Amino acid sequence: MRICFVGAGYVGLVTGTCFADLGNDVICVDNNEEKINLLKNGGVPIYEPGLNEMIARNVGKNRLSFTTSITEGVEASDIIFIAVNTPPLPNGDADLSFVETVSKEIAQTMKTYKLIVEKSTVPVETGEWIKHTVQINNKHQVEFDVASNPEFLREGTAVHDIMNPDRIVIGVESARAEKILRELYTPFNAPIVMTDIKSAELIKHASNSFLATKISFINAVANICERTGADIIKVAEGMGYDTRISKSFLNAGAGFGGSCFPKDLAAFIHIAQKYGYDFKLLKEVENINNEQKKLVVTKVKKAVWILKDKKIGILGLAFKPNTDDMRRAPAIDVIEMLQSEGSVIKAFDPVAMDRAKQIFKNITFCKDPYEVAEGVDCLVIMTEWNEFKEIDLSLVKDKMANPIIIDGRNIYDPAKMKELGFVYHGIGR
Ligand code: NAD
Ligand code: UGA
C-alpha cells in the first residue's frame, strides 16, 4: 500500500519504517529540514533500538523515503497518517494547531481519494474537527475519509511494540476506510478493535491515564511501605501474580515522565472538565507523581543535611531507559530542585547526554558513572539503565566523598548495599 506519515518523530518515523518493512511504500514528511536532511543522508535523529538497521534496509529497497514537501507525500500516497506532536498548552489542553495545519495542507493538496488517519494522541472529537477542516479546504473536491488509529508504542521498545501489538484500535465512519485499514493491519496478526472515531480517541487517553494511575497507585503504596517497614518490591510482586492486576507498571520510583503520560493526563482532565466532569481521580494521579519527585530530593536532604554546596551525582537523565528522550524526564525536576537549594550537580546518561546538554545549565557532564562518583556526597539513580545495574559498586564507593546512594528506581538490593558499606535508600523499601 502507498502510505504517507506527516511528522517523522518517535511515532511517525518508527511506525512508517515498520510499515515499509512489511512491504509497503512509505514516505515520511516533516517540516523540520534538519531532521529530513539527516535522514536523507543516512542519519537517524532519535535513539531507538533496532531502528537504524531497519531504516537502512528499507531505504536500500526503495520502500522508504523522506521529504519536507507535504505535496510530494500526499501525491505519492493513498493513506495519510497524521503523526505530528500534540504538546500541552499551559491550561493542560492539547495544542492541536499542528494537527490543524497538516489537515489543511493535506486537503489543499489532495487530488484523488485519500484516507486521512489521526495517529497523534488527541482529545475526543478531534476527528470531527479534522473532517471539518478537510471539508472546508478540499480545493479539488475529492472524496476522503477520516479515521483514528491511536498508537500504543513505548519508547525504547518502539520497533518491537509496533511489530508485536497487543491490539490494533481503529475508529472509522465508512466501510471503505474500515476495509483499507483492516487490510493494512492484516500482517500484524493482532486483535483489531473496530469502533467509531470518538471511542478510538477515548481508548488512547483512557489507556495512558490508566497506566499512569497504576504507577501513582504503587507509588502511594510505597509511601505506606516506607512508614511501616514493608518492602514495595514484594508487595508489587504479590499483587502482580493476580492476572486481573498484572505485574507490569507496578514499579515504584521517582515518578513517571516522558512526552506522553503527563501531557495526556492533563489533556484528559481538561476535556473531561470541558464536558462537565471533574476527573478528580486523575488530578490525584498527577499530585502523587509530583510528590514522588519531591520525595527523592527529601531523601537526599535527609541523608546529607544541608544541600547548599553539596556535590550530588545523578546517574540517568532520560525519562526511561533505552531512549534519548528527555521530555518531562523526572531527572529535570529533581536536578532543578537540588540546584535551587545550591547543590552542585554532576551527571551521566548512556545516550541522552546531547539532549540533556541543551536543557541543563551549570552541570558537569561526565564520561561514565565512575567519573560522576568522584568526590560526590551522594549519588542519585534517576533512570534504570542496565549498565548501572552492573557497575563496580566497590569502586564507586571508593571514589565517593560519602557513600550515600538514593535509588530512585530501586535497581539495587538494600541488603547487598548495606554489606558493601553504603548508606542506601530506595523507594518504598
Ligand atoms: P515528535 O515531536 O517526536 O514528532 C513530531 C514531528 O512532527 C516532529 O518531527 C515535527 O517536526 C513534526 N511536525 C510538526 N508540525 C509539522 C507540520 N506542520 N508538518 C510536518 N511535520 C510537522 O512527537 P512524537 O513523540 O512522535 O509524538 C507524536 C504524537 O504521537 C503525539 O500526539 C504523541 O502524544 C503521540 N504518541 C507518542 C508516543 C511516543 O512514545 N513518543 C507513543 C504513542 C503516541
Ligand atoms: C507510554 C505508554 O506505555 C505507551 O503505551 C504509549 O503509547 C506512550 O506512553 C505514548 O502514548 O506516548 P512511554 O512514555 O514511552 O510509553 O514509556 P513507559 O514505559 O510507559 O514509561 C513512562 C514513564 O513511566 C517513565 O518515566 C517510566 O519510568 C515510568 N514508569 C513506568 C514507572 O515509574 N513505573 C512503571 O512501573 C512503569
Side-chain angles (χ1 to χ4, degrees):
M1 298 175 105
R2 304 189 317 147
I3 305 168
C4 170
F5 273 84
V6 187
Y10 285 88
V11 168
L13 180 60
V14 190
T15 316
T17 304
C18 289
F19 276 136
D21 210 50
L22 291 166
N24 298 290
D25 289 319
V26 177
I27 179 161
C28 293
V29 180
D30 204 290
N31 64 358
N32 180 330
E33 243 175 78
E34 206 183 319
K35 199 175 261 191
I36 293 299
N37 284 339
L38 180 70
L39 284 160
K40 280 184 168 173
N41 291 318
V44 179
I46 54 169
Y47 176 85
E48 195 56 55
L51 182 63
N52 295 29
E53 304 80 344
M54 206 186 242
I55 290 180
R57 184 164 69 238
N58 287 286
V59 168
K61 293 198 170 161
N62 292 323
R63 289 196 297 242
L64 179 63
S65 60
F66 309 102
T67 180
T68 52
S69 160
I70 197 154
T71 309
E72 199 185 317
V74 170
E75 277 178 2
S77 320
D78 306 308
I79 312 172
I80 301 156
F81 283 92
I82 300 178
V84 296
N85 37 332
T86 49
L89 289 166
N91 67 358
D93 198 3
D95 179 353
L96 299 172
S97 58
F98 305 122
V99 173
E100 187 196 34
T101 304
V102 166
S103 307
K104 198 169 156 185
E105 286 173 356
I106 295 168
Q108 288 168 343
T109 316
M110 59 191 201
K111 294 191 181 122
T112 53
Y113 170 85
K114 304 290 170 193
L115 171 55
I116 301 163
V117 189
E118 59 175 32
K119 192 70 161 159
S120 299
T121 302
V122 291
V124 58
E125 293 203 321
T126 303
E128 296 206 342
W129 280 106
I130 294 178
K131 197 168 138 190
H132 170 75
T133 307
V134 176
Q135 257 156 4
I136 59 173
N137 290 283
N138 191 349
K139 209 165 130 189
H140 304 282
Q141 291 300 306
V142 295
E143 278 185 67
F144 73 93
D145 276 306
V146 171
S148 164
N149 172 220
E151 181 51 59
F152 299 99
L153 69 83
R154 291 160 301 173
E155 289 180 23
T157 51
V159 171
H160 173 271
D161 291 348
I162 293 169
M163 291 311 218
N164 305 279
D166 291 332
R167 79 307 207 178
I168 310 285
V169 173
I170 297 173
V172 286
E173 289 186 328
S174 81
R176 187 176 188 176
E178 175 176 344
K179 185 169 178 285
I180 295 170
L181 288 171
R182 271 198 195 277
E183 193 183 326
L184 177 67
Y185 278 106
T186 301
F188 289 89
N189 202 19
I192 293 181
V193 180
M194 191 61 71
T195 181
D196 59 280
I197 295 178
K198 286 182 195 171
S199 302
E201 290 167 337
L202 269 173
I203 287 170
K204 178 62 194 178
H205 262 168
S207 299
N208 271 7
S209 300
F210 188 80
L211 291 171
T213 303
K214 243 186 135 177
I215 300 169
S216 278
F217 182 86
I218 204 67
N219 281 333
V221 176
N223 283 303
I224 312 288
C225 287
E226 284 192 5
R227 285 160 175 78
T228 56
D231 182 352
I232 193 63
I233 302 286
K234 285 288 159 196
V235 173
E237 188 189 344
M239 289 169 65
Y241 278 115
D242 185 328
T243 49
R244 294 169 303 172
I245 297 173
S246 107
K247 283 183 187 163
S248 56
F249 281 73
L250 285 184
N251 296 320
F256 57 78
S259 67
C260 292
F261 281 175
K263 139 180 110 63
D264 294 343
L265 262 182
F268 204 22
I269 292 169
H270 191 273
I271 192 90
Q273 201 84 48
K274 193 177 147 196
Y275 286 100
Y277 182 70
D278 186 6
F279 216 145
K280 289 189 192 134
L281 172 68
L282 296 186
K283 289 180 180 168
E284 196 48 36
V285 169
E286 280 184 332
N287 286 339
I288 293 171
N289 198 51
N290 291 334
E291 289 305 315
Q292 280 315 105
K293 292 176 269 188
K294 289 184 199 154
L295 178 68
V296 173
V297 177
T298 305
K299 281 174 185 279
V300 177
K301 215 180 218 175
K302 271 193 181 161
V304 306
W305 190 26
I306 306 294
L307 286 176
K308 188 167 181 291
D309 296 331
K310 289 279 159 53
K311 284 196 184 123
I312 313 291
I314 308 286
L315 292 187
L317 297 166
F319 84 98
K320 62 181 281 191
N322 297 318
T323 180
D324 59 348
D325 199 344
M326 286 294 302
R327 290 178 287 181
R328 303 289 287 269
I332 298 176
D333 301 276
V334 168
I335 289 172
E336 281 175 0
M337 284 185 259
L338 290 169
Q339 283 183 325
S340 73
E341 297 218 30
S343 298
V344 178
I345 308 291
K346 296 171 79 178
F348 169 75
D349 186 281
V351 304
M353 299 277 266
D354 287 343
R355 288 186 198 260
K357 282 175 189 165
Q358 293 161 20
I359 297 170
F360 298 114
K361 305 274 169 294
N362 306 324
I363 281 190
T364 305
F365 289 99
C366 301
K367 70 174 191 312
D368 59 31
Y370 304 103
E371 197 178 301
V372 175
E374 195 78 61
V376 295
D377 296 286
C378 175
L379 266 183
V380 182
I381 314 291
M382 286 304 297
T383 319
E384 64 275 36
W385 283 96
N386 274 340
E387 70 172 79
F388 299 155
K389 297 175 185 166
E390 304 299 329
I391 52 176
D392 180 345
L393 287 163
S394 302
L395 183 59
V396 166
K397 181 167 167 272
D398 288 348
K399 289 183 179 285
M400 292 175 73
N402 287 303
I404 301 170
I405 293 192
I406 306 300
D407 185 353
R409 297 293 171 192
N410 285 342
I411 63 173
Y412 300 124
D413 174 12
K416 192 176 162 215
M417 296 305 277
K418 198 173 168 192
E419 206 179 289
L420 284 167
F422 282 102
V423 173
Y424 174 81
H425 300 286
I427 305 285
R429 316 192 73 184

